[in-house]
Amino acid sequence: MSLLERMSERQAPVGRRPAFTVIDAPNPAGEPDEVAAAEQLASAPAASAVDAEATAPQRTDVPRSPAAAALAQARTEIHETLVRRHADEIDISDREGVRSLIASLADEYIRTHALGLSRLDYEKLVESLFDEVLGLGPLQPLIDDPTISEIMINHQNQVFIERQGRLLESGLVFESAQQLRLIIDRIVSTVGRRVDESSPMCDARLRDGSRVNVIIPPLALDGPCMTIRKFAREKLRAEDLVGRGSGSPEMLAYLGSGVRSKLNILISGGTGSGKTTLLNILSGCIPADERVVTIEDAAELQLQQSHVIRLESRPPNIEGGGAIPIRELVRNALRMRPDRIVVGECRGGEALDMLQAMSTGHEGSMSTVHANSPRDALARLETMVLMAGTDLPARAILKQIASAVDLIVQTQRLRGGARKIVSIAEITGIEDGDVQFQELFHYRQVGIDDSGDAVGYHTATGMTSTRLERFRSAGEPLPESLFTPFLPTTVGES
C-alpha cells in the first residue's frame, strides 16, 4: 500500500489529532512506529545533520558557515522533492528502497546544483533524511549510540546526554520547536498517548522499552522538553552487576535465593539509581513455570520468562475520562491467577493493594519505590497506604508492612555516576511501634579517586539472616559464611 493510501485511510476528523496505532511489521529495537512517522512526512521539516555545525543554524549566537548553510538548504529541498514526487509511491515497509530513493534524489540534486560534498557529508545528508522520514530525525544517532544511557532535551537548542554516568552537552540542536514537537508526537502516538496544550505532560516509551517523559508549554517555559532513559540493548545479568562493581557476589547470591524462595522484595532508591534495572535482573530468577503479572505506568520491564502478562495504566482521554490507574490494575491482577505480581513503581494508593497481595498468597512479589534509605522507604510505604483513602490506624498499617515486606534493597547513584546496591535490609518485625529491620550487606564508601569517582567496597555487616530456615525449606540453603564481613587489604572498587 502506498504512503498516500495509508494516509487517506487513516485521516482523522477535522480539528482532532490523528489516532495512531502500532503496526506489527518487523521493526528494529528503538525505532518508532513507521506508519506514524510517515504520516507526518509531508508536514515535517527536514532533519538537521548529525554534527553540531550543520544543526546549529537556528541559534542566533552561532552564525552558520557557508558549507553548513548549503547542506541545510540541500536537505530541505531534497525533502520537498521527495514529498512532491514520491509520497504516493513510498513503501514504508521497504526501508532499503526508501534509502535508495533518498540517495537517488540526493545525487540528482548534487548534479543539478553542482554542489561539492565530501563522501562523509554526503553520507550524513542521506542518513539525516532517512532518519527524518522513518526515524526520529536528529535524535536517531543518539538513540542508536549504545554508549548513551540518557538523552535530556531541555529545549530545541540544548540537548544533554549521559555517557558512563556523566552528563555532557551533545552539541545537537533542532531546526525549530515545531520539529521537536513533531518528533514528540511521533513517539507518544505509537503508544496511544497524546500531548497538547490541554494535556501538556506525558509518559511514553520507545519500541525497545526506553522510557520517555515529555512536558511542553505552557508548563515548560523555554519550549518542549523531553527526557529519554534508554534501555540497554543487551539484557544485564547478575554477573554483569558484579563485573561492574554494582554489587558483590554474596549480595547477588543472597538476592537470587530470596527471589526463588518467594521473599517479597521492595527496591528503593532515587531517580536514575538503577531500580528498574535491578528489578529486571532479579525477575530473571523467577522460575519459568510461574505465572507473572507486571503492572506499570509506562511499560519498561523486560522479563525473560514466557508466562508473563504485561499491564499498563491508561491516562485520561481528551474528554478527561477513561483513566485506568495502577491501583485498578493491581486489583484486577488478583483475579488473573498470578503466582507473582511485579509493580513497576508504587507511587500512591496502590501500595495498600500491593501489600495485601503480598500477604494473601502472592508471595515473591516485587516493586520499587523512591526513597533515600530503607527507613525512608518504610515511611513512604506508610504514607502511600494513607493515600489509599482508608482510615486504618497507624499500628494496623505498620503490621501490614512488617508482615508483607521481607527485604528492602537500596540502590544509589554515587559520585561519578556509578550505580550500586548500597544496602540489603531484612524486615524483622515491629518493636516500640516501629517496623524493625537489620542490614545484612552494605556498601562502605571510603573516599573519592583522582577522577572524582566514589571509592569503596561491598561487605556483609556480620548479621545473619533470620530466614535461613525458609531458604533451606525452599531448596536454597545459604552458608552462614555468606554473612561474614569482608575486610579488604587495599580499598578500591569492589
Side-chain angles (χ1 to χ4, degrees):
M1 181 181 294
S2 71
L3 178 63
L4 286 184
E5 289 172 338
R6 291 177 184 268
M7 294 173 65
S8 61
E9 283 189 0
R10 298 161 65 90
Q11 184 66 40
V14 176
R16 296 187 61 183
R17 184 182 300 276
F20 300 113
T21 57
V22 180
I23 59 175
D24 294 326
N27 191 3
E31 295 186 357
D33 180 4
E34 294 174 352
V35 173
E39 286 170 329
Q40 300 178 63
L41 175 63
S43 59
S48 51
V50 174
D51 58 304
E53 180 185 22
T55 56
Q58 292 296 320
R59 299 182 63 173
T60 57
D61 57 330
V62 181
R64 172 185 288 182
S65 68
L71 189 61
Q73 180 67 21
R75 193 166 47 246
T76 301
E77 294 188 14
I78 294 171
H79 185 273
E80 292 175 351
T81 302
L82 176 66
V83 174
R84 185 176 63 254
R85 293 185 188 174
H86 304 286
D88 60 342
E89 62 188 56
I90 291 179
D91 182 1
I92 60 175
S93 63
D94 182 9
R95 299 177 63 84
E96 289 305 316
V98 173
R99 189 185 298 273
S100 298
L101 177 59
I102 291 173
S104 175
L105 293 176
D107 292 339
E108 177 185 334
Y109 181 90
I110 291 172
R111 290 194 304 270
T112 303
H113 294 77
L115 184 63
L117 290 181
S118 66
R119 170 56 59 179
L120 180 61
D121 286 339
Y122 172 79
E123 291 176 353
K124 286 181 178 180
L125 174 63
V126 173
E127 197 64 29
S128 64
L129 282 164
F130 181 79
D131 288 340
E132 188 65 32
V133 174
L134 296 182
L136 293 180
L139 278 183
Q140 197 62 47
L142 303 184
I143 296 291
D144 294 337
D145 189 340
T147 66
I148 296 176
S149 57
E150 196 145 3
I151 303 170
M152 292 149 280
I153 304 168
N154 296 342
H155 49 76
Q156 69 187 69
N157 292 326
Q158 189 179 69
V159 180
F160 279 82
I161 60 173
E162 181 187 69
R163 180 180 277 125
Q164 297 179 344
R166 298 186 181 275
L167 295 182
L168 306 168
E169 189 165 5
S170 69
L172 174 73
V173 298
F174 291 85
E175 296 281 350
S176 64
Q178 179 191 9
Q179 184 191 30
L180 177 55
R181 280 295 304 272
L182 287 169
I183 292 174
I184 289 173
D185 287 341
R186 290 183 186 182
I187 293 174
V188 301
S189 64
T190 60
V191 291
R193 305 288 174 97
R194 64 182 181 86
V195 59
D196 51 35
E197 287 72 15
S198 63
S199 179
M201 295 187 297
C202 178
D203 285 320
R205 67 180 185 276
L206 300 182
R207 290 292 293 269
D208 66 348
S210 297
R211 180 194 302 176
V212 180
N213 176 268
V214 173
I215 183 167
I216 65 170
L219 300 186
L221 301 182
D222 295 326
C225 177
M226 179 164 61
T227 306
I228 302 174
R229 181 169 298 171
K230 293 172 57 181
F231 266 22
R233 296 184 180 180
E234 295 183 4
K235 295 181 181 179
L236 296 180
R237 298 171 296 176
E239 48 267 36
D240 295 320
L241 290 187
V242 175
R244 297 181 179 192
S246 297
S248 67
E250 294 78 12
M251 281 180 163
L252 275 301
Y254 175 78
L255 290 176
S257 294
V259 173
R260 289 186 291 271
S261 300
K262 290 195 170 184
L263 297 186
N264 295 319
I265 299 176
L266 185 67
I267 301 175
S268 167
T271 300
S273 61
K275 299 187 299 298
T276 303
T277 298
L278 181 59
L279 185 59
N280 267 319
I281 291 174
L282 294 183
S283 69
C285 300
I286 298 176
D289 60 348
E290 294 188 14
R291 179 178 172 90
V292 184
V293 177
T294 68
I295 303 169
E296 303 172 83
D297 264 333
E300 299 176 81
L301 295 175
Q302 299 174 318
L303 270 65
Q304 303 167 22
Q305 292 78 4
S306 59
H307 199 172
V308 176
I309 298 92
R310 306 172 67 211
L311 305 180
E312 185 179 57
S313 64
R314 188 175 71 184
N317 57 28
I318 195 169
E319 289 82 17
I324 306 294
I326 282 185
R327 187 173 187 188
E328 291 189 26
L329 294 179
V330 173
R331 290 174 177 174
N332 187 80
L334 298 177
R335 307 182 184 100
M336 300 174 67
R337 200 270 179 204
D339 290 308
R340 304 187 191 225
I341 297 175
V342 179
V343 179
E345 182 180 342
C346 282
R347 294 192 181 97
E350 64 271 8
L352 175 60
D353 301 282
M354 182 68 188
L355 291 174
Q356 290 178 334
M358 288 177 170
S359 303
T360 55
H362 301 93
E363 296 177 316
S365 296
M366 294 181 281
S367 184
T368 70
V369 63
H370 275 84
N372 294 327
S373 68
R375 178 66 64 190
D376 290 343
L378 293 172
R380 278 217 69 201
L381 269 181
E382 184 178 358
T383 301
M384 289 188 291
V385 170
L386 292 173
M387 293 170 63
T390 58
D391 294 327
L392 292 174
R395 182 167 180 80
I397 296 174
L398 293 178
K399 288 181 67 175
Q400 183 80 35
I401 293 173
S403 65
V405 180
D406 295 307
L407 297 179
I408 298 179
V409 184
Q410 185 71 33
T411 62
Q412 186 176 337
R413 179 178 174 180
L414 302 179
R415 183 167 180 174
R419 297 169 173 86
K420 295 184 182 293
I421 301 173
V422 297
S423 176
I424 298 178
E426 193 175 72
I427 303 297
T428 57
I430 295 181
E431 184 177 331
D432 297 330
D434 285 326
V435 178
Q436 301 297 309
F437 62 87
Q438 64 175 4
E439 191 177 45
L440 302 178
F441 302 91
H442 68 174
Y443 177 78
R444 184 169 296 167
Q445 183 176 337
V446 297
I448 58 174
D449 61 16
D450 296 337
S451 301
D453 298 338
V455 175
Y457 60 94
H458 290 98
T459 178
T461 62
M463 304 295 292
T464 302
S465 172
T466 61
R467 292 172 169 80
L468 290 181
E469 183 59 36
R470 179 168 177 175
F471 286 130
R472 281 192 289 269
S473 63
E476 294 287 336
L478 292 177
E480 292 192 13
S481 60
L482 193 73
F483 305 99
T484 303
F486 169 69
L487 298 176
T489 54
T490 58
V491 177
E493 292 293 330
S494 60

